[in-house]
Amino acid sequence: MASTSVAFFSGDQSALELANFIGKAKGEPENGPLYESSKTLLSQEKYTEVLTRFADESKSLLNVNEKGGYRMQWVASGSDALRNWLNLYFEPVYNLLIALIKDAQPEIVPKLITSIIAPIEQTAAEKSQLKLKVLSNLYNILESNSAVRYDVYAAIWNVAAKSGDIDILIPHLTSLDTWIAEWGVALNKRRALYLLISQKLEETPDAKSQAYELLLKYLSTFDNADDQALGEAKDVATRAVKEAIKVPSVLSFEDLFRLQAVQALKPSKIYDLLKIFLEESLKQYEEFVKANPGFVEEQGLNHDDNLTKMRLLSMATLAGQNLQSEISYDTIAASLNIPADEIEIWIIDVIRAGLMDGKMNQLKRTVSISRSVNRVFTEQQWVVLKDRLDEWKKSLKEVLRVVGNAKLLAGSQGVTIETTITA
């Protein structure tokens, strides 16, 4: 006798109730063929067969026929009552099915869930909110370490993309890597999920930066990969370079540049262009464009947008070279190739972008740089950092010496001084 779940099949009433619901969605009468066949299988304790059939037939709840298309004849026959019934009971019926699956034998659960989510995922955006609720319920009844959660999660992204509801998923992306680790899925599935989510985010106007971050995650999985694997990642690496240049908020290219999959792009023009955005100036960019006419446009990039980003980055470099000192407006105008009346606008834009902090002096026509962001952190930057720490240490020792002398002097005069120094 087959192993059964007492919690699930106590009286078989839930299963027969579900058979009637699905049967009605198929256009059958109450206690029709599906109900009778399910009743027979249950009497024979063929529970796996019952659940498999329910999962396969659940597509009827989506108004879908056996070939995956809509039952257009329902529209022609004017069965508005059936449509209204489906909308009313859509989520409750699916929840009943989910409850049955929860207590099914573990080895058949993956197949059952695949049968349920496939038609939900493949159909158009109709009932999208209800579909997302069903998929969410299905996801949450699975154990946190269930590998099947991967498939449900991917389906949620597909449905949300069709209905324009991706914004409700974006806040949860911070937990994605934790979930993937819990699911224990293979590397190829992890990569596939990163690409899927990135693609869906790219289709959302306000999620370009998140889409780019998912591309970085995908490419990072190829570090220490062999040449064959790196070859497979070439197209995505090229795509990531283009996205990094396109997305206005991406102003740091070092993480992308250091990825092995990106390094595998050299020698190539797209690699050379990336290197310019990584560490070169506006002048080098303009020289590249002149030497490679039409290349920027062929890559789907906008030359004017590139000029804007390169001016911001060039100003950041100039600020880094003049930290704790002043830069004249004339120097800035020459470096950014801009007219004099735009200098202060560009300084403000660079500060707003978080690339530097500074104070303008309109009378002297200078800007004092108090902070700048290093576009690349090389050995030279480490040396500079060490020198600054040594200076800070030296200054702190001098402060402690002065305080110590003051305490000695105060002590000789019968005065107590308490000193507290915090970082």
Side-chain angles (χ1 to χ4, degrees):
M1 184 173 65
S3 174
T4 65
S5 170
V6 175
F8 173 41
F9 286 110
S10 178
D12 301 335
Q13 189 59 43
S14 295
L16 292 176
E17 183 180 359
L18 180 60
N20 253 334
F21 274 123
I22 296 177
K24 183 170 183 178
K26 294 180 65 178
E28 295 179 1
E30 188 173 359
N31 299 343
L34 182 60
Y35 176 91
E36 290 298 334
S37 61
S38 300
K39 185 176 181 181
T40 300
L41 290 173
L42 288 170
S43 68
Q44 298 170 354
E45 298 186 354
K46 294 181 178 180
Y47 305 127
T48 296
E49 288 87 339
V50 174
L51 285 175
T52 300
R53 189 167 185 189
F54 286 166
D56 291 340
E57 295 288 358
S58 64
K59 60 181 177 288
S60 300
L61 300 171
L62 297 164
N63 194 15
V64 173
N65 61 31
E66 289 73 11
K67 295 181 180 180
Y70 280 100
R71 297 178 187 271
M72 300 305 293
Q73 65 269 28
W74 286 13
V75 178
S77 63
S79 54
D80 291 336
L82 185 54
R83 280 182 173 276
N84 293 336
W85 180 89
L86 281 171
N87 288 331
L88 180 62
Y89 288 100
F90 184 88
E91 185 181 1
V93 174
Y94 264 109
N95 286 342
L96 179 56
L97 176 57
I98 290 170
L100 300 180
I101 288 177
K102 180 181 179 181
D103 294 315
Q105 298 175 36
E107 61 269 21
I108 69 168
V109 169
K111 182 179 182 299
L112 296 175
I113 288 181
T114 299
S115 297
I116 293 171
I117 66 176
I120 293 178
E121 196 173 3
Q122 293 167 4
T123 51
E126 186 180 354
K127 302 190 188 80
S128 60
Q129 295 296 325
L130 291 173
K131 289 179 182 178
L132 287 173
K133 287 182 180 180
V134 167
L135 290 172
S136 177
N137 293 339
L138 187 56
Y139 178 92
N140 287 315
I141 64 104
L142 297 168
E143 296 292 335
S144 61
N145 62 350
S146 171
V148 187
R149 273 192 163 190
Y150 169 96
D151 301 297
V152 181
Y153 185 73
I156 288 174
W157 272 93
N158 281 322
V159 172
K162 289 179 181 178
S163 61
D165 292 313
I166 280 182
D167 57 308
I168 65 176
L169 301 178
I170 291 176
H172 303 287
L173 284 174
T174 54
S175 302
L176 180 59
D177 289 335
T178 300
W179 293 340
I180 290 175
E182 289 177 347
W183 303 335
V185 296
L187 180 59
N188 65 322
K189 298 190 90 174
R190 179 182 168 194
R191 288 171 175 168
L193 186 60
Y194 285 151
L195 281 183
L196 170 68
I197 298 175
S198 176
Q199 178 186 353
K200 301 307 179 185
L201 290 170
E202 280 184 13
E203 298 168 0
T204 305
D206 297 329
K208 302 294 186 182
S209 60
Q210 291 93 335
Y212 170 69
E213 290 299 324
L214 267 295
L215 287 181
L216 287 184
K217 287 180 181 291
Y218 171 84
L219 292 173
S220 69
T221 66
F222 289 89
D223 284 347
N224 302 317
D226 57 28
D227 291 342
Q228 180 180 351
L230 291 174
E232 295 171 359
K234 183 176 180 180
D235 288 345
V236 179
T238 301
R239 173 179 152 200
V241 172
K242 296 176 185 178
E243 288 303 311
I245 295 172
K246 284 181 183 179
V247 179
S249 61
V250 177
L251 295 170
S252 174
F253 296 83
E254 191 168 16
D255 289 344
L256 174 65
F257 184 77
R258 294 187 184 280
L259 291 172
Q260 191 172 339
V262 173
Q263 286 297 310
L265 293 176
K266 63 180 178 182
S268 67
K269 291 180 183 179
I270 196 69
Y271 178 87
D272 295 340
L273 184 59
L274 171 62
K275 203 166 187 300
I276 290 172
F277 277 85
L278 171 74
E279 59 185 1
E280 302 293 350
S281 67
L282 176 66
K283 180 181 178 181
Q284 278 74 43
Y285 171 74
E286 290 176 328
E287 290 174 351
F288 175 89
V289 171
K290 185 176 180 180
N292 301 279
F295 177 76
V296 167
E297 290 74 18
E298 290 169 3
Q299 303 306 307
L301 302 172
N302 184 289
H303 177 60
D304 290 336
D305 291 343
N306 291 353
L307 287 175
T308 297
K309 183 172 285 193
M310 281 306 306
R311 285 191 170 105
L312 294 174
L313 296 172
S314 296
M315 184 63 210
T317 297
L318 189 61
Q321 295 169 347
N322 295 273
L323 195 60
Q324 305 302 329
S325 61
E326 295 181 342
I327 308 174
S328 71
Y329 280 14
D330 291 340
T331 300
I332 295 172
S335 178
L336 304 190
N337 192 19
I338 55 174
D341 59 353
E342 294 183 9
I343 295 172
E344 293 185 350
I345 295 174
W346 279 100
I347 292 173
I348 293 171
D349 286 344
V350 175
I351 292 173
R352 284 176 175 171
L355 293 173
M356 76 173 202
D357 287 330
K359 184 176 181 181
M360 291 183 287
N361 187 321
Q362 293 177 319
L363 293 178
K364 294 175 61 179
R365 289 180 55 79
T366 61
V367 57
S368 299
I369 307 300
S370 57
R371 181 190 68 88
S372 69
V373 172
N374 290 310
R375 292 169 63 187
V376 290
F377 211 85
T378 63
E379 184 177 349
Q380 180 182 356
Q381 275 71 46
W382 283 111
V383 171
V384 172
L385 178 60
K386 179 181 180 301
D387 291 342
R388 288 177 183 168
L389 288 173
D390 288 342
E391 291 177 5
W392 178 81
K393 185 177 179 181
K394 183 178 179 181
S395 299
L396 184 58
K397 285 183 177 179
E398 181 63 22
V399 170
L400 291 174
R401 186 186 68 79
V402 172
V403 171
N405 290 338
K407 290 175 70 175
L408 289 174
L409 180 60
S412 66
Q413 297 175 354
V415 179
T416 299
I417 297 178
E418 292 187 2
T419 305
T420 302
I421 298 179
T422 59

